[in-house]
Amino acid sequence: MTVTLNHTHSGLADAVAAILRCVTCEGRLEVRGEGLVCAGCCRKYPEINGVIRSVEEQQYAGSFGFQWQIHARTQLDSKESDRSEQSFRQRTGFEPEDLAGKLVLDVGCGMGRFADVATRWGAYVVGIDLSVAAEVAARNLAGRDATIFQADVFHLPFAPESFDFIYSIGVLHHTPDCEQAFKMLPRLLKPGGRIAIWLYSRYNAWYRMSDIYRKVTRRMPARVLYSLCYGVVPLYGIHQALKRIPLVGRPASGALAYMAPMSFHPDRIWRILDTFDWYSPWYQSKHTYEEVFRWFESCGLENLRVIAQPIAVQGQRPVLTELSDSDLSTSGSKKETSQCAG
């Protein structure tokens, strides 16, 4: 088996090969046999099960590898549902015409739910995930314009100014330091490129009890916790019954929801999956627009936008100003600097 960077648009696949860098020495990576090899320090990056690996283990992301192997196709769109496409629009603000023909980075691609949308819109997607969910994404996106990496957001194998668009939906708040994880990304944008992230909100109090329970649930074996999450099926029925009781029913349902937070997704399987997703991660931070805007501004991003579903923010890397001939003769070329990593 050899590394398969080439899909439909060979030009974009060549662009992916050109931006690959060693996470150890930042040397160029070359395709050799069953993986990539750094031309500088000779570090190897094997391709296993369709995924290029720059990490050797899942670290704190094991629960995600578990859930996406079970629910490998649960959230993919179909003829009956376009939930993921609608969620992608609401959490990024991107439209099909934005991404068509562009090189796009999906940070925390999971089983490929949103990469599926972006590739259908005509983008070439580079997806990264710390967990073995990357293998599921590679299977789901087989034959699409996509290349999948198992990689750490704090040590990404890409050159600066590589991508036209970057998005991360519901992922960065599951890292040890959400702010620093975000600040690894703007430097990877091309001038004029756009980035959008969606994070858990700190404005509501619904999650407070779940955070207390998570001190225990995140230490449980994933399979045991997943089995317990089937309890949301009868609990959902209790909520529906309570809401039919005049006067006291809805307050009682609200109190129960506060004491036992759960997903209220109308789809039973999605409800179980979403509830597991709340209780299983090792890290789970919540954020406000004020702090997220500060992150964007500290990285020099501009044209900041609040997107439909909190906490969702989009920004743009400034386009480099073209120097006049006289400026070039006296000062040489201008190099953009950033307060962010890199």
Side-chain angles (χ1 to χ4, degrees), residues 28-49:
R28 288 184 175 273
L29 301 186
E30 300 175 349
V31 178
R32 294 185 191 173
E34 297 183 358
L36 303 172
V37 177
C38 175
C41 69
C42 298
R43 174 171 172 171
K44 296 180 180 180
Y45 297 78
E47 182 189 42
I48 304 172
N49 296 331

Side-chain angles (χ1 to χ4, degrees), residues 159-189:
E161 300 187 1
S162 292
F163 296 97
D164 299 294
F165 288 83
I166 297 174
Y167 63 82
S168 183
I169 303 174
V171 173
L172 299 180
H173 49 233
H174 293 310
T175 65
D177 189 327
C178 185
E179 177 180 358
Q180 291 306 312
F182 168 76
K183 288 184 174 181
M184 303 305 297
L185 304 179
R187 72 187 186 93
L188 300 179
L189 280 174

Side-chain angles (χ1 to χ4, degrees), residues 30-236:
E30 300 175 349
V31 178
R32 294 185 191 173
E34 297 183 358
L36 303 172
V37 177
C38 175
C41 69
C42 298
R43 174 171 172 171
K44 296 180 180 180
Y45 297 78
E47 182 189 42
I48 304 172
N49 296 331
V51 176
I52 302 167
R53 319 281 172 148
S54 65
V55 294
E56 296 180 355
E57 58 183 18
Q58 301 185 87
Q59 300 176 42
Y60 52 84
S63 67
F64 297 105
F66 171 85
Q67 73 183 50
W68 295 128
Q69 287 176 322
I70 292 177
H71 292 278
R73 300 185 64 83
T74 297
Q75 294 185 329
L76 291 179
D77 283 347
S78 64
K79 293 180 180 178
E80 292 73 35
S81 170
D82 65 348
R83 291 171 184 162
S84 289
E85 181 167 324
Q86 293 305 314
S87 181
F88 187 74
R89 292 175 187 267
Q90 293 168 356
R91 296 177 179 181
T92 66
F94 297 151
E95 296 293 335
E97 58 271 22
D98 296 324
L99 302 191
K102 302 299 185 181
L103 188 58
V104 177
L105 178 62
D106 180 336
V107 179
C109 62
M111 42 64 79
R113 172 189 183 187
F114 297 115
D116 171 67
V117 175
T119 54
R120 283 192 278 112
W121 286 4
Y124 192 109
V125 175
V126 176
I128 70 109
D129 202 279
L130 182 59
S131 79
V132 294
E135 295 182 6
V136 183
R139 292 196 297 270
N140 286 336
L141 298 167
R144 300 286 190 88
D145 289 328
T147 303
I148 306 300
F149 292 77
Q150 186 179 1
D152 182 352
V153 68
F154 295 102
H155 304 282
L156 291 173
F158 311 116
E161 300 187 1
S162 292
F163 296 97
D164 299 294
F165 288 83
I166 297 174
Y167 63 82
S168 183
I169 303 174
V171 173
L172 299 180
H173 49 233
H174 293 310
T175 65
D177 189 327
C178 185
E179 177 180 358
Q180 291 306 312
F182 168 76
K183 288 184 174 181
M184 303 305 297
L185 304 179
R187 72 187 186 93
L188 300 179
L189 280 174
K190 297 176 182 177
R194 290 155 63 189
I195 181 172
I197 64 171
W198 177 77
L199 305 172
Y200 285 162
S201 168
R202 201 166 71 208
Y203 292 114
N204 299 318
W206 63 266
Y207 60 80
R208 290 177 182 169
M209 292 304 296
S210 66
D211 276 354
I212 294 174
Y213 301 149
R214 282 187 58 258
K215 294 178 181 179
V216 174
T217 59
R218 68 178 183 171
R219 300 177 186 276
M220 287 182 174
R223 192 167 297 279
V224 172
L225 176 59
Y226 181 74
S227 298
L228 291 176
C229 287
Y230 272 82
V232 303
V233 177
L235 197 56
Y236 183 80

Side-chain angles (χ1 to χ4, degrees), residues 4-16 101 119-120 122-125 141-147:
T4 51
L5 290 178
N6 291 301
H7 296 281
T8 303
H9 301 302
S10 60
L12 284 175
D14 290 342
V16 173
T119 54
R120 283 192 278 112
Y124 192 109
V125 175
L141 298 167
R144 300 286 190 88
D145 289 328
T147 303

